[in-house]
Amino acid sequence: MQCDYFDAGACRSCTWMGQPYDEQLAAVHAAAVAALGERPGLVWSEPVARAEEGFRNKAKMVVGGTVEQPTLGILDRAGHGVDLRHCGLHEPALHDALPVLAALVTRAALVPYDVPTRRGELKHVLATVAPDGGLMVRFVLRSTESLPRLRKHLPWLHEQLPGLVVASVNLQPEHKAVLEGPEEVVLTEQSTLPLRLAGLDLRLRPQGFFQTNTAVAAALYAEAAAWTRDLGARSAWDLYCGVGGFALTLAGAGVPDVVGVELSAEAVTAARDSAERAGLDGVRFEAGDATAWAAAQEHAPDLVVVNPPRRGIGAALAGWLDASGARHVLYSSCHSGSLARDLDAMPSWEPVRGRVFDMFPQTAHHEVLVLLRRR
């Protein structure tokens, strides 16, 4: 892949830009294998890859510049905006939407937040595209001062972006390196974005989490379903379940009793909606801390799925899993280093299957799915 921004030195986020993709894929696979080290019985499948560009379903754009000439992209070292609206990583629908969103900044007189002076209102524009082209757009503002103008220009935004499903404002008044705040104001009639993939009908709410690469996420869920069918599990937990991707996949793969646990109440609401729409009576979702919830249960299920953030599941949950009565664990990790550390803290378990999923081409980041069985 070739990128003008990278070549010009304007953005170096994609550290492997320009490296042949087959070499990138071999490198991430080797990195995962090296991180986990020698583990007898672990069989690796070939890594999963899709497109090396135009794959990102989410754009997280810092807003800079001025009302008349806004930038959507990143900040330079001085805190000034660098425009990246033509980034080649974004899916086509996102690429086409960003100039419209920049034009809205001017039309609605949304003053970009200036980090050095701590003045202005609009901090970020966050946009997500669904497989069917539907769009969710979020504006991260310091206050509600711009809300009336955004509402006024919402019909224009619908005209320019016919695929717009959800638009909202997130309020983040503090001056710190936090992407968004806790309060969300939905501007549209609909508050969830349908995500239909791999036989699933997921629902994403403004503060919910979904994988950045839709095609690779679909492959990840399909692999989890295939591995699960061989286990004969009658019960399963999906810890850190997000909008319910793994939980709904397990239910669809024939596991009759599935529970998803997620800290985000927004994500749990969306997951429950998806389960109801799919008519899956055997799956339910709970809002709470994954470790605390698991520790409070009387009995462990046959299968536990964990899909934690980069830091991993941590010593407490690893210890609980090691002493539990579960028979299998599916561990989906976005950081093979923390995965290896967690496996070392679970001596009663052995990994038997592993596969790398290249969610983030042009970088060293990757997703790893590992199946564990009790020794």
Side-chain angles (χ1 to χ4, degrees):
M1 177 181 172
Q2 185 274 333
C3 174
D4 291 340
Y5 296 125
F6 185 87
D7 293 343
C11 176
R12 292 302 177 96
S13 299
C14 296
T15 54
W16 286 2
M17 182 63 66
Q19 182 176 340
Y21 188 53
D22 57 346
E23 295 181 9
Q24 294 186 32
L25 203 58
V28 295
H29 177 75
V33 173
L36 268 62
E38 292 293 331
R39 296 181 187 268
L42 174 56
V43 178
W44 289 93
S45 301
E46 289 296 313
V48 173
R50 294 295 185 265
E52 64 173 295
E53 57 186 302
F55 61 85
R56 282 190 66 96
N57 59 32
K58 183 181 295 183
K60 299 179 180 180
M61 313 301 282
V62 180
V63 183
T66 64
V67 170
E68 294 76 18
Q69 293 184 310
T71 62
L72 301 182
I74 59 176
L75 299 179
D76 63 18
R77 292 183 178 180
H80 301 134
V82 177
D83 195 88
L84 302 176
R85 71 183 72 178
H86 295 298
C87 173
L89 299 186
H90 295 141
E91 287 195 26
L94 275 185
H95 176 273
D96 295 344
L98 291 178
V100 176
L101 296 174
L104 179 68
V105 173
T106 303
R107 290 181 66 93
L110 305 176
V111 180
Y113 182 65
D114 183 70
V115 172
T117 63
R118 303 190 180 190
R119 295 178 180 176
E121 281 291 314
L122 180 60
K123 291 185 169 183
H124 302 96
V125 169
L126 312 176
T128 302
V129 61
D132 64 359
L135 285 168
M136 175 188 291
V137 177
R138 304 171 62 208
F139 303 91
V140 181
L141 297 168
R142 291 182 71 197
S143 73
T144 58
E145 183 271 334
S146 304
L147 263 176
R149 297 195 302 281
L150 265 176
R151 293 185 190 277
K152 174 184 175 181
H153 292 281
L154 195 59
W156 176 88
L157 189 60
H158 275 291
E159 290 178 3
Q160 300 300 310
L161 300 176
L164 182 64
V165 178
V166 181
S168 68
V169 164
N170 178 272
L171 296 175
Q172 207 317 55
E174 298 183 75
H175 179 83
K176 60 182 181 180
V178 175
L179 184 67
E180 59 188 74
E183 185 177 353
E184 198 86 17
V185 180
V186 178
L187 306 177
T188 49
E189 182 177 344
Q190 293 193 51
S191 59
T192 61
L193 178 68
L195 299 171
R196 300 179 179 90
L197 73 158
L200 301 175
D201 186 2
L202 305 177
R203 290 292 189 274
L204 182 66
R205 296 175 71 88
Q207 292 182 305
F209 168 80
F210 184 71
Q211 283 91 350
T212 301
N213 190 321
T214 303
V216 177
L220 177 66
Y221 293 146
E223 192 83 346
W227 291 3
T228 298
R229 291 189 185 98
D230 296 336
L231 304 180
R234 302 295 297 170
S235 58
W237 295 348
D238 177 10
L239 306 182
Y240 310 95
C241 71
V243 294
F246 280 111
L248 296 168
T249 295
L250 297 179
V255 181
D257 181 16
V258 181
V259 182
V261 182
E262 168 60 45
L263 191 61
S264 167
E266 287 278 319
V268 168
T269 299
R272 289 171 176 166
D273 184 22
S274 297
E276 182 178 353
R277 290 173 182 273
L280 296 172
D281 297 330
V283 59
R284 70 183 192 276
F285 295 92
E286 304 288 343
D289 175 77
T291 302
W293 185 90
Q297 307 309 304
E298 292 186 15
H299 304 287
D302 296 332
L303 170 66
V304 177
V305 178
V306 290
N307 182 26
R310 287 177 59 82
R311 65 178 180 272
I313 62 174
L317 184 53
W320 181 89
L321 281 169
D322 204 52
S324 74
R327 293 161 43 201
H328 291 92
V329 171
L330 268 177
Y331 194 133
S332 182
S333 169
C334 60
H335 191 279
S336 51
S338 61
L339 167 62
R341 184 173 61 249
D342 288 338
L343 294 184
D344 289 340
M346 299 162 58
S348 298
W349 295 90
E350 60 179 353
V352 292
R353 304 178 77 168
R355 196 166 198 181
V356 170
F357 293 78
D358 193 20
M359 288 274 186
F360 317 100
Q362 316 307 329
T363 77
H365 301 297
H366 51 275
E367 192 88 8
V368 185
L369 185 67
V370 175
L371 175 64
L372 313 176
R373 70 182 175 198
R374 190 168 290 281
R375 295 185 189 276

